Every structure is written in C-alpha cells, then in structure tokens.
Amino acid sequence: RMDQALLLVSNELPAPGLNLAARSGSCHQCLYQFLAFVPPSNESLRKPGTASVMVDTQHPLTLLLNSSVGDRDICKIQYHFGEFGNYSLVVKTLSTNTQTVSCDLIINEGPINSYLPILFAFLVYMGILGILIAGRLLMKIDPVRNWVYKKLNPRATDRMINSELGSPNTADSINCDPAPQSWSTGSRQRLRSLDTFRGLSLVIMVFVNYGGGKYWFFKHESWNGLTVADLVFPWFVFIMGTSIALALGSMLRWGSSKWKVLRKILWRSVVLILLGIIVVNPNYCLGPLSWDNLRIPGVLQRLGFTYLVVAALELLFTRPDSGTWEGRFPALQDILPYWPQWIFILVLETIWLCLTFLLPVPDCPRGYLGPGGIGDFGKYPNCTGGAAGYIDRLLLGEKHMYQHPSSGVIYQSTMPYDPEGILGTINSIVMAFLGLQAGKITLFYKDQPKQIMSRFIIWGIVMGIISAILTKCSKEEGFIPINKNLWSISYVTTMSCFAFILLLLIYYLVDVKKWWSGAPFLYPGMNSILVYIGHQVFANYFPFKWKMQDSQSHAEHLTQNLTATTLWVIISYILYKRRIFWKI
C-alpha cells in the first residue's frame, strides 16, 4: 500500500523464536509496537522461520528483535524504508562457538521515488508561469499588440489592457461598503500584498485539506513540530488581524459610528460561527447533523470568535485619525497609545499559561503537554493535550469534539481532541493581535515603505528570539514546544515570525517595487470566505474529486488535489473579473 514496504524476516536461530517490534522516528519517547512473531528455524529441515510484515516508509523506523522467552534483545536496526520496496532481514549466528548473532538487512527489490510527481508538478506549473510571463512581454511589442487588437473584440481588449492584473477597485474594500465619490484618492489605495498573503495561505490550505497528494509533510504534524499544513491557518488568522486594523480605521474615517461598526463586527462573527457549525461541520460524515454528535469547535468558529475579540478590542481604542503621535517616544507610536490592548493580551496569555501548567487534570501530571497514547512510554494514555483536552471534554463533551486528531496515527491516542478547542483560542487571539500590529504599522507609516519594512523585520526578529528561547531551538526538548494542536505560545511566536518576514517580502515585491501583481494568489485572497466554504462543501463532487484508477498512487492523488486547487483559483479569477466578491 501507499507509504508502505514489505519486510520479510528470516530467522535461522533455534527455538524459542523472536518478537519483532518497531518504533517510528517521529514518535517521541514511544513504546515499541509489536509487529510479528518470527518462528525459530527448523533444524531437521534446515529451514529458517519466516514472517512478513508491512512497515511504514514515511519516517525512519527503529526495529527491535528480542527473544520471545526472557525478553532478551537480539538486535536493533535503524532504517528508513522506501515506498513499495521489498526487504529481507536475515537473523543468523556468525559462529557456533561464540553464538554471535548478526542481523543483515537486504534489499530484494528497490523502492520507487515517490517524490518524482512533486518535481513533475513543479515543472508543469513553472512552464505555465513561463508561458504567461512570455505572453505579457510579447504584449509590450507594438506589432504583436496591434495584431491582438485586431483579433479580439475591441471592448474585451480594452478591458484586458486597461485593467492591472490583481488591482481591485475601491468598491471592493474588505468589510466596507462601496466608496462614495467624496473620498480622497489616498483613502482608496488598497494594499495588494495583504490579499496576496491571504490568498497564498488559502491556496495552501485548500491543497492540504484536499489531501496534499497524501504526502506526510502536507498533513498536520502528529504532535510537536511543523509541516506545511501547520503554517497556513495561523497565517490566515494573522492577516485577518492586519485587515481589522485597516478596515476599522477606514470605516471610522468615513464617518461610521462605533456602534454601527460594533453591530457589523457582531454580525460577521455570528455568521462565521454559524457557517462553521452548520455548513462545513466535519461530523456530516457520520450522517445527518444531530446535536448528539455536533462538533462545536472548528476553523470558522475560531475565526469568528477571534475576529470578535480582536476587532472589538481595536474598536474600543482606535482613533479615526492615525496621524503622527505627539507623545514621547515617537518611534513607538504604533504601540504606546494602545497600552490597554497590550495589557489585555498579556492577561489573556497569563490565563493560558496558568490553565495549561497549573490546572489539575485527573490522572495526568500537572502541566502535561504530550499526546497521550503510546507517547511518554505509555504512562499517560488518556491525557492527550493535557489541560486543553480536559477543558474541552469537560465543557463541550467528547461527542462534540474532533474525533480523529492527528496524534491518533503515530501516537495511537484514543481520546477525542480538538485542535480548534477552547484553550487554544486564547493564543489565536494573540496571533490575530500580532497581525493587528502589522496593520497599525502600515497605517502609522503610510507612504513610508522603508519604515514599514524595517518594523516588519524587527518584529520578525523579536518573535524569532522568543520562539528560540521557548523551544531551546529543539522540536521536543523546549520549555514550550511548537505545537499546532495546542496552539502553544511558541507556535504563535514562530508563525508570527514567519508571517512578518513573508508579509515583508510580498509587500516589497507587490506594493513597493510592483514587480509582481500578486496573481494568482490575489484572486482567492479577495474571495477567501467563498473559496474556503466552497472547497469544503464541494470537496467530494466532480471535477474536484473523481474515482481513481490507482488509489495507492501519490501521483494520482497529487494530480487530483492540484487540479481541485487550481480550479478554485480559476473560479476566484473569474469572480474577480466579474467583480463578484462575497463579503459577510
């Protein structure tokens, strides 16, 4: 099967036989898992005892062979098997006098290179990009452009030439009504980099949600650590915070009262939460939606609640005019006037730390951050997530949580655990608040790109230093490991570090130098809610999914998932050209 290899164990030792166990290299402090009993050799027939097993190829394995009687270790081998490979492990004595045992691993049939489809897909997309770039360069040549004018409908041609790729009109500002004619030209300027960043996060999110070609690094990390799939949700939360700063300031400058803005914030939050509970609830796979098994937390639910808290916090302290602050320390004008917000966020983070490390959890050590199951040598099998899991089970009930957490595969945990649970929402608010800070920087230093970029760099460095201290630059051994399931504070600071640096690069390329229009990521970024909900609702419908010829092929899964993701980019482009934007 996919991500598996065949291992044939040949035992030339006499009775009593051997036990074969394995431990994944990605499973921290895990118990060895029994794979097979290998019978002893038949001395009269001089025939070795054999056993065949399927072994995982996603991560390196440690194989342990020990005697079935007395539990004496015979040998231990560390090896990274290849997909669809055929291997033999021969156990024999080198010398009858010394009874020295050797364990030799032999490759009977070489594995396939399961990563070639990724290389091929990359080359295809680079080829398409090259063709598009060449087309744009050719359109700058007068004879070619004149020929195109003659072939195309004049009206369509004018629309194509006069529209800047990825340049939205003012009427499509986020969270705002169409702009009246009396607004100044400066207020109409929209940062394409924000939509591009949002779109990039969304495209990766759609791809990994559709399966990511079934590659392990396009799935969520089993517990501590990061994969590609773990990057996108916090980036989406971050850019939502950035948009809050820009949108609320604009609405207040346009004359909206704070009460009107607050009603809009409440409405949008409620709609997001209801969409998450009713429309994209994963428990539909269990049958018609019922309160008995309704999953209460979720991605949209967390986005809605986080938006409510951060937007209300900003509304309470924002100023309609974001001009230069005349107080002391003008270099900190985007921070000091908002000290009550920072106190609120620090109080929230203190609550998270106290609950995480001080809350007593039945039958679990205080401050436990592990996955439970076979992790920590099987000492705490029912402690998945520590206080975070306990609070969700206590307040929501096990049936109203996510039933198949990522820790269930590697760590074999059996307790329900929700990665969008209650306690982690505190740190998603912190993540959005850091995004809000990025938005304030762009407001306070408007038309000063060097100031904006320098502050993005400083914030990225500060967040990176905090992450290095919290994690000790280690995946497992830090004070607070990076963990997407827990939404640990080190996860938030690390993702914020990446977000500031990535936003800096996109801002420089798109808004400062204008070397890149933001396409194609800008289009889904401007219709993010529609694309997210649409890709969830139509996930099992053609042409986003079809019956495969070989369901055990990474290539077919990758083709299907990339096709589905590309279709949503095309759909968002068509909606962009038709000026259709779904806002809440």
Side-chain angles (χ1 to χ4, degrees), residues 205-206 209-210 275 279-282 284 295 299-300 529-541 544 568:
M205 183 184 294
V206 170
N209 285 351
Y210 276 148
L275 284 173
V279 178
V280 297
N281 200 303
Y284 273 119
R295 184 194 178 197
V299 171
L300 289 179
I529 297 297
L530 185 146
V531 171
Y532 180 79
I533 294 178
H535 100 275
Q536 292 276 16
V537 172
F538 295 102
N540 294 316
Y541 290 84
F544 306 104
W568 281 112

Side-chain angles (χ1 to χ4, degrees), residues 434 459-473 479-480 482 489-494 497:
L434 292 171
W459 275 99
I461 293 174
V462 169
M463 292 295 105
I465 292 173
I466 294 174
S467 297
I469 294 172
L470 292 175
T471 63
K472 298 181 182 179
C473 298
F479 301 109
I480 304 178
I482 297 173
I489 185 59
S490 58
Y491 175 68
V492 168
T493 54
T494 302
C497 170

Side-chain angles (χ1 to χ4, degrees), residues 195 198-200 202-203 520-529 531 568-569 572-573:
D195 292 316
R198 185 189 299 108
L200 172 63
L202 184 59
V203 167
F521 302 116
L522 180 132
Y523 311 127
M526 294 191 67
N527 249 321
S528 56
I529 297 297
V531 171
W568 281 112
V569 174
S572 62
Y573 172 74

Side-chain angles (χ1 to χ4, degrees), residues 320-543:
D321 181 15
S322 58
T324 304
W325 185 52
E326 297 180 355
R328 299 176 62 186
F329 308 109
L332 301 177
Q333 60 178 312
D334 54 329
I335 300 176
L336 294 182
Y338 302 96
W339 61 267
Q341 292 180 340
W342 285 96
I343 291 178
F344 178 82
I345 292 299
L346 290 174
V347 169
L348 273 185
E349 190 54 39
T350 302
I351 292 173
W352 183 86
L353 290 169
C354 290
L355 290 175
T356 300
F357 291 101
L358 301 180
L359 181 69
V361 179
D363 302 320
C364 301
R366 189 166 296 185
Y368 182 71
L369 300 176
I374 63 174
D376 301 292
F377 304 111
K379 296 177 181 178
Y380 319 111
N382 297 323
C383 295
T384 303
Y390 174 67
I391 290 173
D392 288 342
R393 291 189 292 270
L394 184 67
L395 299 182
L396 303 176
E398 292 187 5
K399 292 185 178 180
H400 300 291
M401 299 167 56
Y402 191 55
Q403 300 297 310
H404 307 288
S406 58
S407 59
V409 178
I410 298 294
Y411 289 94
Q412 301 182 21
S413 57
T414 57
M415 298 294 290
Y417 181 81
D418 208 304
E420 280 76 51
I422 296 172
L423 196 56
T425 303
I426 292 177
N427 280 341
S428 71
I429 292 172
V430 177
M431 185 79 192
F433 183 77
L434 292 171
L436 182 77
Q437 185 61 36
K440 289 177 182 177
I441 290 172
T442 60
L443 285 175
F444 278 98
Y445 301 99
K446 187 178 180 181
D447 301 324
Q448 301 179 61
K450 289 184 178 180
Q451 293 282 0
I452 292 174
M453 290 188 293
S454 64
R455 277 160 174 77
F456 283 175
I457 291 175
I458 292 171
W459 275 99
I461 293 174
V462 169
M463 292 295 105
I465 292 173
I466 294 174
S467 297
I469 294 172
L470 292 175
T471 63
K472 298 181 182 179
C473 298
S474 168
K475 178 182 177 181
E476 303 285 354
E477 305 301 331
F479 301 109
I480 304 178
I482 297 173
N483 190 295
K484 191 265 180 187
N485 283 286
L486 297 171
W487 268 71
S488 62
I489 185 59
S490 58
Y491 175 68
V492 168
T493 54
T494 302
M495 292 299 96
S496 298
C497 170
F498 294 166
F500 275 111
I501 299 303
L502 185 57
L503 182 58
L504 162 68
L505 294 175
I506 296 175
Y507 172 73
Y508 180 75
L509 293 173
V510 175
D511 288 316
V512 178
K513 291 297 184 179
K514 301 188 186 301
W515 290 338
W516 178 28
S517 66
F521 302 116
L522 180 132
Y523 311 127
M526 294 191 67
N527 249 321
S528 56
I529 297 297
L530 185 146
V531 171
Y532 180 79
I533 294 178
H535 100 275
Q536 292 276 16
V537 172
F538 295 102
N540 294 316
Y541 290 84
F542 183 84

Side-chain angles (χ1 to χ4, degrees), residues 126-185:
M126 288 299 100
I128 295 173
L129 178 63
I131 292 172
L132 293 175
I133 293 175
R136 288 182 65 87
L137 293 176
L138 287 174
M139 285 299 295
K140 295 181 178 180
I141 302 175
D142 289 340
V144 176
R145 186 168 60 250
N146 293 335
W147 181 83
V148 172
Y149 286 166
K150 295 177 182 179
K151 294 296 181 180
L152 296 179
N153 179 276
R155 182 177 299 178
T157 303
D158 290 342
R159 186 163 61 248
M160 179 186 70
I161 298 300
N162 294 332
S163 65
E164 294 184 13
L165 206 59
S167 178
N169 188 275
T170 337
D172 306 311
S173 299
I174 273 185
N175 304 328
C176 305
D177 297 324
Q181 295 297 321
S182 61
W183 293 348
S184 65
T185 304

